[in-house]
Amino acid sequence: MDKSSSFISGVMEYLPAAQMIFDKFHLVQLLNNALDEVRKAERKGNDLLKGHKYTVLKKCGNLSGQKSRNWIMYG
């Protein structure tokens, strides 16, 4: 189900006994937005994190050699 407030209120009003299940896309989007907010807040106080916007989003095995070493050292 979409995370729109109109969908949620409609289900709660017309299907009060229904179990709401949200689709994976919207949950991943919510988590990515939260992670990005944390990354931005941490970046403001730490110059070592400059240039690592996408480092935290990649699998460790897919990082370049230098980024992988930096991630292990500072992560």
Side-chain angles (χ1 to χ4, degrees), residues 7-39:
F7 278 99
I8 294 169
S9 64
V11 168
M12 290 174 69
E13 183 177 343
Y14 295 106
L15 303 166
Q19 181 180 9
M20 284 190 269
I21 300 174
F22 299 106
D23 60 288
K24 181 180 176 181
F25 170 81
H26 288 96
L27 292 176
V28 170
Q29 182 183 43
L30 186 65
L31 290 171
N32 281 336
N33 289 342
L35 180 62
D36 201 39
E37 291 300 316
V38 169
R39 182 196 57 79

Side-chain angles (χ1 to χ4, degrees), residues 55-70:
T55 304
V56 297
L57 297 174
K58 288 186 177 182
K59 290 182 181 179
C60 191
N62 292 342
L63 295 174
S64 67
Q66 184 62 39
K67 295 256 184 186
S68 180
R69 285 188 293 278
N70 287 345

